[in-house]
Each structure stands twice: as structure tokens, then as C-alpha cells.
Amino acid sequence: MKPSDKQFAVIGLGRFGLSVCQELQASGAEVLAVDINEDRVREAANYVSQALVANCTSEDTVAELRLSDYDMVMVAIGSDVNASILTTLVVKEAGAKSVWVKANDKFHSKILSKIGADHVILPERDMGIRVARKMMDKRVLEFQELGSGIAMTEIVVGARLLGQTLGDLALCKEQGVQVLGFKRGPEVIKAPSLEKSLEIGDVIIIVGPRDTLTRKLSSL
Ligand code: ATP
């Protein structure tokens, strides 16, 4: 199924919910936008296929929205935590296939996970991670000399290597080069699988002849 064939519902049309609607609709998806506030619904109606006024904490109202027909439902109610939690529960019970929910903080996020949210978004935290990864979007070419022309270095995965596997980089095909480890966030893997797909910010630790490493790194 192409992304444009998908159907999404977004409940809560604050700045976050509205921008989700706009982006989904611009990508060619079909979007249902819902809010309890008529002004917000009127604004969303400028961008999306369908916009409705509804109180989504009400089981009967949500049942009428037939959310189980949608591929994904986003609950983007932020400041009213009670409404966010209740809406998530009601939407899950109405049989929505996949429910993504925006949380305000760690505690809100924990409750949402416990009541069955399929994915919880903490916008400030997630954006901070993305920005940090962007800042790391370069290779680090610092070598730790180990003697006899052997050195250790790191490759920080940037956009150019995104989506390739460790095997695609063919590091171990170079004479004397070995992958020592692989870091993703706090996790360190000693003997990573070559099938591992690379993500921005991953760090690959390699050792080998300094000249070979320099040549290989400049070709990546
Ligand atoms: P931001 O504007 O940054 O996204 P936020 O999530 O705190 O922040 P709010 O202004 O709280 O934004 O937006 C949440 C939206 O959810 C509001 O438009 C509000 O009317 C809507 N909302 C709140 N309760 C319900 C409900 N029970 N059913 C449907 N919509 C609701």
C-alpha cells in the first residue's frame, strides 16, 4: 500500500495536531481532523479531506467516527491531560488499529503506554534527539594510535549512510580492518550483525592499519 492510500484520523487540532494534519494531507493521505472546538475544526477544514466537531472522550461520539476503518489515529490533545488519557482509552476500545498519542511529560507518557497507546510522542524530547543527531551528522576522523601503524577510529553515521547495513560498508573486506563494536544511544554491541540497518547517530568502532582506515573513511 502506498502512503497516499492510507487513512489517518487526528484528534486535537492544536499547533501539533494541525501540523500533523497538514503534512499528512500534503503527502497525499486521506485525513479526518477532529476537535471539540469549532474554530479549530474550521481552520483544519482548509487543509484536510474531512473535519468534524466532536468530543472524543465520549464513547458514543467516537463510535460514530468509525475509527477502526483508519490505519492510524493520532491523539494530539496536550494541555488537558484527563481528556488525552480518556480519549486514548475510548479510541483504543473503539478498535482503532494503531493509536499514536502526544504526551506532555514522562508521567503522562507512562500512563499512555500502560493504557495501550501504540506509540507515544514527547515532541520536545523527540525534537531534541533529532537535532542532536543532525548535529552529529558527520564522520569523526579522530584516530587513536595503537602503535605499529594500527589505529582505532569511529564512524558516526550521517544521512549519507542512513538505511545501508553494516555489511554494505564492506569494512571487513579491507585488509586488516575489523569492526570492534557498534553503539546506538547508550547500547554497545560487541559483535554487531552485518545485517544491522544503520541509523543517524549510530557509531561504528573500527580498528586496522591507519592508511587503510583513512582511505576507506574518505570513500564512505
Ligand atoms: P500545541 O498547540 O502545542 O499542540 P497542546 O496540545 O497543549 O499544544 P491544545 O491547545 O491543548 O494544544 O490543543 C489540544 C486540542 O485538543 C485543542 O484544540 C482542544 O480543543 C482539543 N481537545 C481537547 N479536548 C478534546 C476532546 N475531548 N475531544 C476533542 N478534542 C479535544
Side-chain angles (χ1 to χ4, degrees):
M1 192 185 260
K2 301 199 297 289
S4 55
D5 295 331
K6 292 202 169 181
Q7 290 189 306
F8 298 90
V10 177
I11 300 170
L13 306 170
R15 283 172 306 168
F16 180 85
L18 261 186
S19 62
V20 170
C21 287
Q22 282 174 301
E23 191 59 30
L24 289 171
Q25 191 76 35
S27 310
E30 207 170 296
V31 183
L32 165 68
V34 187
D35 201 289
I36 199 169
N37 177 320
E38 215 170 298
D39 291 338
R40 300 258 166 122
V41 172
R42 208 171 294 124
E43 188 179 349
N46 294 319
Y47 319 113
V48 300
S49 7
Q50 207 189 350
L52 293 174
V53 179
N55 176 1
C56 295
T57 57
S58 152
E59 288 178 352
D60 293 342
T61 307
V62 169
E64 285 173 24
L65 298 177
R66 298 180 164 278
L67 293 178
S68 55
D69 294 346
Y70 289 78
D71 295 289
M72 207 179 265
V73 179
M74 160 69 76
V75 179
I77 301 172
S79 27
D80 188 343
V81 176
N82 282 342
S84 155
I85 292 169
L86 199 49
T87 298
T88 304
L89 261 177
V90 170
V91 168
K92 280 300 289 182
E93 281 172 4
K97 294 180 195 123
S98 177
V99 182
W100 288 35
V101 191
K102 175 190 140 157
N104 287 336
D105 55 42
K106 246 177 30 186
F107 302 106
H108 186 186
S109 157
K110 211 167 175 179
I111 294 168
L112 293 169
S113 300
K114 288 249 181 225
I115 62 171
D118 297 284
H119 186 70
V120 178
I121 296 128
L122 279 158
E124 279 86 6
R125 182 205 60 182
D126 296 350
M127 184 50 85
I129 291 170
R130 282 182 56 183
V131 169
R133 286 184 175 173
K134 267 213 146 128
M135 291 164 76
M136 298 270 291
D137 191 3
K138 61 184 176 64
R139 276 188 281 116
V140 173
L141 281 170
E142 280 166 17
F143 290 90
Q144 178 89 44
E145 303 291 347
L146 301 176
S148 308
I150 303 296
M152 187 169 80
T153 191
E154 296 181 336
I155 300 168
V156 180
V157 174
R160 280 203 310 168
L161 301 182
L162 180 67
Q164 296 195 47
T165 64
L166 201 48
D168 291 337
L169 306 191
L171 295 167
C172 298
K173 295 208 172 115
E174 299 290 336
Q175 189 75 35
V177 174
Q178 277 180 27
V179 175
L180 285 188
F182 180 89
K183 283 196 280 182
R184 177 169 293 164
E187 188 192 8
V188 180
I189 302 163
K190 270 208 229 138
S193 150
L194 291 180
E195 262 97 71
K196 203 161 193 53
S197 285
L198 300 175
E199 290 181 9
I200 289 177
D202 287 346
V203 178
I204 306 160
I205 305 154
I206 50 175
V207 68
R210 164 132 196 178
D211 294 349
T212 314
L213 293 183
T214 308
R215 182 175 43 74
K216 182 66 186 170
L217 288 176
S218 60
S219 73
L220 289 176

